[in-house]
Amino acid sequence: MTTTATQEPTATTVRDTAASSTDEQHSEISRLPLARREELPSALQEQLDGLESQLGYLPNWAAASALAGEHAQHLNTLLLGLLGRKGALSQEDRDFLALVSSAANGCSYCRLNHIQSYGRAIHDHALATRIGLDDREVAELDERRRALADFARTVSLDVHALGDADIAGLRAQGLSSEQIIEALFVVIAFAAGNRLTIALNVLPDAQFFDA
């Protein structure tokens, strides 16, 4: 008996099949159909090409959100800019904030995604996974990381509960005003990304589960 391997649905393979019909109500990776790549704004196409070149595949979140056209382009510019460029915070800090925020917001796709990126940043996938499950159970987090995690969780879940004491706590850990405002931008931007990905029920990339 011969068996045929089942191909995991990815942004590239699903796009090829979904693009044949404009009447599709959903795709295999999203609650909505996928856009035809050649019909997207050129700047968005360049973003997708850049992601695909960098990662070796097009992540499902980018393929699914591309249906929004220029709106997706603008959101991508914010998200990719916050993580991809040098800022007041270190890359490791920003990846950490994105991971804790995604966990707090209950976005399984984003949690898996940022476990991967934070794990690479700290060269410790196991620790990144534990933080992604619940940072409050990770005893070895230092006080600075703990303050950033508490800040990210409060802004994500109950921003009205954020007070002067929270900002003072970040300052006590050596964060400058510029670093605090950047931390805030990371958290609120990824809250938008989390909610978009949850609402579309984006399928996690097969690459998240590679050994």
Side-chain angles (χ1 to χ4, degrees):
M1 178 184 296
T2 60
T3 58
T4 302
T6 301
Q7 185 178 18
E8 288 288 337
T10 65
T12 301
T13 58
V14 172
R15 183 184 307 102
D16 292 341
T17 58
S20 62
S21 173
T22 57
D23 296 327
E24 293 285 344
Q25 296 301 305
H26 59 84
S27 71
E28 292 182 45
I29 66 168
S30 170
R31 287 192 168 110
L32 294 177
L34 300 180
R36 290 187 173 92
R37 193 155 172 175
E38 68 275 10
E39 296 178 356
L40 296 173
S42 59
L44 179 54
Q45 290 187 44
E46 290 176 7
Q47 288 178 335
L48 301 184
D49 290 343
L51 279 170
E52 198 164 28
S53 175
Q54 175 189 352
L55 299 174
Y57 69 98
L58 183 63
N60 288 346
W61 71 263
S65 64
L67 186 63
E70 288 187 354
H71 297 308
Q73 173 197 325
H74 297 321
L75 181 59
N76 292 348
T77 297
L78 176 60
L79 295 174
L80 298 174
L82 284 168
L83 288 185
R85 297 188 180 94
K86 185 177 180 181
L89 293 168
S90 68
Q91 182 70 53
E92 185 178 317
D93 282 339
R94 286 174 281 162
D95 282 328
F96 177 79
L97 287 163
L99 174 55
V100 174
S101 300
S102 297
N105 289 318
C107 180
S108 58
Y109 179 99
C110 302
R111 189 185 312 209
L112 288 166
N113 188 14
H114 294 297
I115 283 172
Q116 298 289 324
S117 57
Y118 187 62
R120 288 192 298 269
I122 63 173
H123 308 290
D124 191 336
H125 182 77
L127 178 58
T129 301
R130 290 171 57 212
I131 292 169
L133 291 172
D134 193 337
D135 66 271
R136 292 165 293 189
E137 297 179 1
V138 181
E140 60 266 41
L141 284 186
D142 60 27
E143 291 185 6
R144 186 176 186 279
R145 282 277 181 271
R146 183 68 61 205
L148 285 170
D150 290 344
F151 173 79
R153 189 165 30 254
T154 300
V155 172
S156 296
L157 299 179
D158 189 7
V159 69
H160 290 289
L162 190 73
D164 292 343
D166 299 284
I167 303 301
L170 292 176
R171 292 194 187 282
Q173 296 305 318
L175 274 77
S176 66
S177 296
E178 291 76 16
Q179 289 173 318
I180 293 170
I181 193 69
E182 185 167 283
L184 181 59
F185 265 75
V186 171
V187 174
I188 64 172
F190 280 92
N194 296 157
R195 283 156 177 76
L196 177 66
T197 306
I198 293 168
L200 291 176
N201 196 30
V202 176
L203 182 72
D205 300 317
Q207 289 81 357
F208 293 163
F209 307 101
D210 288 345

